[in-house]
Amino acid sequence: MEGQKERGPLVYTESRRFFRDIFSFTENQIIQNRLAQAMMLEDPIFMDLGFADKLDYDEIEDVVNQLMITFGLIRESAISAESTLNVIFCNATPSPEENPIIRRLMKNVPDLTVGDLLVTVTEKSYLDLYPKKDLVYLSPDAKEYYHPDDGIPIIGAIVDRRTMTKLSYGKGHSQKLKIRRLPIDLVDT
């Protein structure tokens, strides 16, 4: 009888772990399925990783922290009833050796591979993937506010500490894209 008392919690723990693993596997399959659907059916949100050479170590760390939040939002969107976010990292060399943002991301999350990311990673520019008329570069320096009808948003992967102003604005302007700002300042906090 005493042996059974000791065995009870162990069996319970193992069965809990078994069901947790099944749930986790099922949840991951659902997320992968929803992401595949989003890639086929939803307009993308581009994240331009082409600023990596202009960022210092701390700014890259800040960008990576923002990307980690983005992964959480993508995962959350994939298990919600709403549309799943289709995020594309563009202007991004997928190789961690060549891309400091990807390298830092991989360092923050051991055992992560580029294939595990909940996004598409490509070296191509958004200009190679969609016509200019369909694209909108988001910049805090723009005068007009962004509305989804304006086009597919491009977010510069930059968290600027050195006050290098108008990097995203300058890039959008030089590429002759529509430039808009997010209406963050209109939201009451």
Side-chain angles (χ1 to χ4, degrees):
M1 287 284 194
E2 269 183 43
Q4 286 181 339
K5 288 181 184 178
E6 290 177 21
R7 190 169 168 238
L10 180 62
V11 171
Y12 176 73
T13 302
E14 287 176 7
S15 65
R16 260 182 94 182
R17 187 177 309 124
F18 173 75
F19 285 112
R20 185 185 66 225
D21 290 347
I22 288 176
F23 176 79
S24 179
F25 175 78
T26 304
E27 182 182 51
N28 287 335
Q29 294 295 59
I30 290 168
I31 289 168
Q32 293 301 322
N33 183 34
R34 292 286 306 267
L35 288 171
Q37 287 176 349
M39 287 178 192
M40 292 185 292
L41 304 173
E42 301 292 334
D43 282 336
I45 298 170
F46 287 109
M47 296 202 70
D48 182 3
L49 272 62
F51 293 103
D53 62 336
K54 293 178 175 42
L55 304 177
D56 65 26
Y57 179 84
D58 291 335
E59 289 167 331
I60 288 173
E61 186 68 27
D62 289 343
V63 167
V64 168
N65 289 335
Q66 292 295 317
L67 295 179
M68 296 298 289
I69 292 169
T70 302
F71 295 144
L73 294 172
I74 294 167
R75 187 174 183 81
E76 188 177 305
S77 76
I79 56 177
S80 75
E82 302 298 318
S83 297
T84 301
L85 297 174
N86 176 18
V87 178
I88 299 175
F89 287 0
C90 55
N91 297 318
T93 308
S95 164
E97 294 79 31
E98 298 176 50
N99 188 315
I101 294 173
I102 300 292
R103 180 174 47 249
R104 187 71 198 151
L105 188 61
M106 299 302 176
K107 189 173 183 181
N108 281 7
V109 186
D111 302 325
L112 183 70
T113 66
V114 172
D116 293 334
L117 298 175
L118 301 174
V119 300
T120 301
V121 181
T122 181
E123 293 181 56
K124 291 183 178 181
S125 168
Y126 37 83
L127 296 171
D128 298 330
L129 301 172
Y130 279 83
K132 274 187 188 186
K133 67 179 181 53
D134 294 343
L135 300 171
V136 180
Y137 213 106
L138 301 180
S139 171
D141 301 305
K143 292 180 179 28
E144 296 178 54
Y145 289 110
Y146 173 75
H147 186 277
D149 292 340
D150 291 333
I152 298 167
I154 304 162
I155 302 168
I158 180 170
V159 178
D160 187 9
R161 290 179 167 203
R162 294 177 286 167
T163 63
M164 287 189 302
T165 58
K166 299 191 178 189
L167 280 177
S168 55
Y169 185 89
K171 189 164 189 179
H173 182 71
S174 70
Q175 294 175 336
K176 297 183 172 82
L177 297 172
K178 290 178 267 187
I179 305 168
R180 301 289 187 270
R181 68 188 297 158
L182 288 175
I184 296 169
D185 55 341
L186 300 178
V187 178
D188 291 330
T189 54

